[in-house]
């Protein structure tokens, strides 16, 4: 008499192959029969052969290993171990993902590889003592923003900052922001929303992990023309830490050994030329801010602003004010 689980036989075989087998760990027919029996499913050798043929015809890449110690294994799957390791590393290193969510995501990623390979992923899990986000709702916030953009609607949210005691303090005295979302971007391992502020009539950006009680608004989005005028590809390159500043074309002189740093920051199409055997001139579009000046200072004394003159003077004043405060 067939058990109630008998109809699920193929599903259990596929599950076992996916979770337990690879090229070095084939499953023998007797072991598979034993596994099915533990699930209340009766099977014989001939039926296993037929089941493997059926699963192969369905699309599973099942290989058979000849010999007494041979058997069957799933030869290919959606993700290879190296690819899943890469995803695990990305989850671990992402500051916007909380420690709790990191562990949950890694546990789900482990399901993409056989159990004996998942152990290698578990050994990689080191998410303690890391500067991770604390806003658990960021994952749902991202979904809400995408849904609003898809529906051409505004979004509403509370926005906070940190005070000197490490406590969240709401901006605008706890009033809601309502803006038109146009793009989610990624900078320094943080999500930012680029949105049009209808009241100020400009594009602004907001840290998604600092949003609370995010919801889709009722009004249609505004600011399409303003957003279409933005060169999205260069927007992130000219921002430093996503701090706003006056957009300007700045000319820099620096040791040619820093050419790689320039390419990493602005892209490989940034204009550069030799000034002499050891020095290059760079022209870059930047948002002039204290963060930009801080980046320059971090490159060392060999870096100079050679134009425009007002930006060079502003940089000297920035450095002088730091020295005066020491």
């Amino acid at each position: 008499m067939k058990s109630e689980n008998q109809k699920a036989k193929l599903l259990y075989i596929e599950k076992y192959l996916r979770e337990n087998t690879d090229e070095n760990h084939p499953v023998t027919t007797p072991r598979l029969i034993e596994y099915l029996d533990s699930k209340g499913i009766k099977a014989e050798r001939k039926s296993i052969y037929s089941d493997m043929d059926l699963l192969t015809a369905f699309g599973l890449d099942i290989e058979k290993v000849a010999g007494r110690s041979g058997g069957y294994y799933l030869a290919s799957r959606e993700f290879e171990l190296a690819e899943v390791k890469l995803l695990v590393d990305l989850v671990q290193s992402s500051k916007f993902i909380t420690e709790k969510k990191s562990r949950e995501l890694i546990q789900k990623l482990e399901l993409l590889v056989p159990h004996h390979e998942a152990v290698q992923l578990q050994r990689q899990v080191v998410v303690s003592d890391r500067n991770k986000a604390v806003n658990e709702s960021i994952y749902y916030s991202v979904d809400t923003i995408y849904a609003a953009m898809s529906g051409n609607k505004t979004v509403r949210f509370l926005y906070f900052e940190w005070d000197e005691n490490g406590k969240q303090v709401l901006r605008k005295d706890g009033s809601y922001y309502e803006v038109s979302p146009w793009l989610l971007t990624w900078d320094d391992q943080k999500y930012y929303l680029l949105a049009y502020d209808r009241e100020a009539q400009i594009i602004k950006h907001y840290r998604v992990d600092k949003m609370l009680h995010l919801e889709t608004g009722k009004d249609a989005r505004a600011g399409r023309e303003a957003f279409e005028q933005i060169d999205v590809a260069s927007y992130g390159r000219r921002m430093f830490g996503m701090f706003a500043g006056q957009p300007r074309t700045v000319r820099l002189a620096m040791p040619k050994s820093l050419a790689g740093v320039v390419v990493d920051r602005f892209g490989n199409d940034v204009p550069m030329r030799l000034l002499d055997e050891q020095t290059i001139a760079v022209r870059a579009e930047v948002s002039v801010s204290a963060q930009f000046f801080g980046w320059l200072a971090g490159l060392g004394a060999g870096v100079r602003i050679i134009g425009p003159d007002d930006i060079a003077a502003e940089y000297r004043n920035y450095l002088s004010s730091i020295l005066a405060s020491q």
Side-chain angles (χ1 to χ4, degrees), residues 19 34 37 39 119 137 160 168 192 218 220 223 274 294 301 323:
E19 294 181 352
E34 179 184 351
D37 185 64
K39 303 298 181 182
V119 175
S137 66
F160 72 84
Q168 294 179 3
Y192 289 87
K218 297 180 180 179
L274 279 174
L323 286 173

Side-chain angles (χ1 to χ4, degrees), residues 117-228:
E117 290 184 346
V119 175
Q120 298 182 46
L121 301 178
Q122 294 167 3
R123 289 173 181 168
Q124 286 188 308
V125 178
V126 184
V127 295
S128 303
D129 301 321
R130 188 182 299 275
N131 184 21
K132 304 285 272 184
V134 296
N135 186 356
E136 194 74 30
S137 66
I138 183 173
Y139 327 104
Y140 310 107
S141 296
V142 170
D143 281 346
T144 299
I145 291 169
Y146 276 123
M149 290 192 290
S150 177
N152 197 38
K153 296 293 185 181
T154 60
V155 290
R156 299 178 71 250
F157 54 89
L158 298 176
Y159 202 61
F160 72 84
E161 59 186 353
W162 299 104
D163 67 9
E164 69 279 5
N165 299 312
K167 303 295 184 182
Q168 294 179 3
V169 178
L170 293 178
R171 290 189 176 183
K172 292 177 59 173
D173 297 324
S175 298
Y176 271 85
Y177 289 67
E178 183 158 3
V179 296
S180 300
W182 288 101
L183 181 71
L184 279 168
T185 187
W186 178 262
D187 184 81
D188 191 27
Q189 300 188 45
K190 299 179 183 69
Y191 260 127
Y192 289 87
L193 169 65
L194 270 63
Y196 183 76
D197 185 322
R198 190 193 302 265
E199 183 176 340
Q201 296 186 354
I202 57 174
I203 294 287
K204 295 182 178 181
H205 51 263
Y206 306 87
R207 282 253 307 262
V208 177
D209 60 309
K210 290 187 175 182
M211 296 177 178
L212 298 173
H213 305 299
L214 177 72
E215 60 186 21
T216 302
K218 297 180 180 179
D219 296 334
R221 287 188 300 177
R224 181 180 298 276
E225 292 183 0
F227 184 77
E228 288 176 346

